[in-house]
Amino acid sequence: DVQLVESGGGSVQAGESLRLSCVASGFAGSNFYMAWFRQAPGKEREGVAAIDNAGSATYTYGVQGRFTISKDSAKNTLYLQMNNLKPEDTAMYSCAATGVRPFWWENCNDYIVWGQGTQVTVS
């Protein structure tokens, strides 16, 4: 089965850090365009960060300088290091993958594989 499984979420205080992991199985994540999305209650899902198969990363404006997306091809795992967390970062975070780089990376409709999500709460 092709799947993504996230972990690493939790409840933290503002200013603290978390690292999210997303393990891919059934396909080689390194060959795919992968991204992290988040959705807060009552809000639309938004793109957080994305990375292509060459390791080039892009971020939404509000997390630049605080979040870092990376991947470990040997472990088939995608990461999101989140530093200096703020209450507005509170959301369900999900990883996603697609075989072709989207025209607009933040368009969640272009991603074909999704994880179940991991909750991040910042107070």
Side-chain angles (χ1 to χ4, degrees):
D1 289 345
V2 173
Q3 63 176 350
L4 298 170
V5 179
E6 302 97 333
S7 62
S11 296
V12 298
Q13 299 291 315
E16 294 184 342
S17 300
L18 283 173
R19 188 177 79 157
L20 306 183
S21 299
C22 169
V23 179
S25 61
F27 70 103
S30 60
N31 294 333
F32 281 68
Y33 192 88
M34 300 190 71
W36 287 97
F37 286 80
R38 66 185 179 187
Q39 187 168 22
K43 295 187 177 181
E44 293 187 356
R45 180 180 287 173
E46 66 169 346
V48 177
I51 189 167
D52 66 15
N53 57 3
S56 179
T58 186
Y59 301 89
T60 194
Y61 178 76
V63 306
Q64 289 178 353
R66 298 190 298 122
F67 290 10
T68 302
I69 188 172
S70 63
K71 58 184 179 179
D72 185 329
S73 298
K75 296 182 179 179
N76 214 18
T77 300
L78 178 74
Y79 300 100
L80 184 67
Q81 177 67 43
M82 305 185 294
N83 298 329
N84 190 22
L85 283 160
K86 303 177 180 181
E88 52 264 42
D89 295 319
T90 294
M92 179 70 75
Y93 284 70
S94 301
C95 60
T98 184
V100 179
R101 183 190 183 105
F103 178 79
W104 180 40
W105 72 270
E106 294 172 280
N107 183 3
C108 58
N109 294 321
D110 285 337
Y111 292 81
I112 58 175
V113 185
W114 287 85
Q116 83 290 347
T118 185
Q119 178 67 37
V120 172
T121 303
V122 185
S123 59

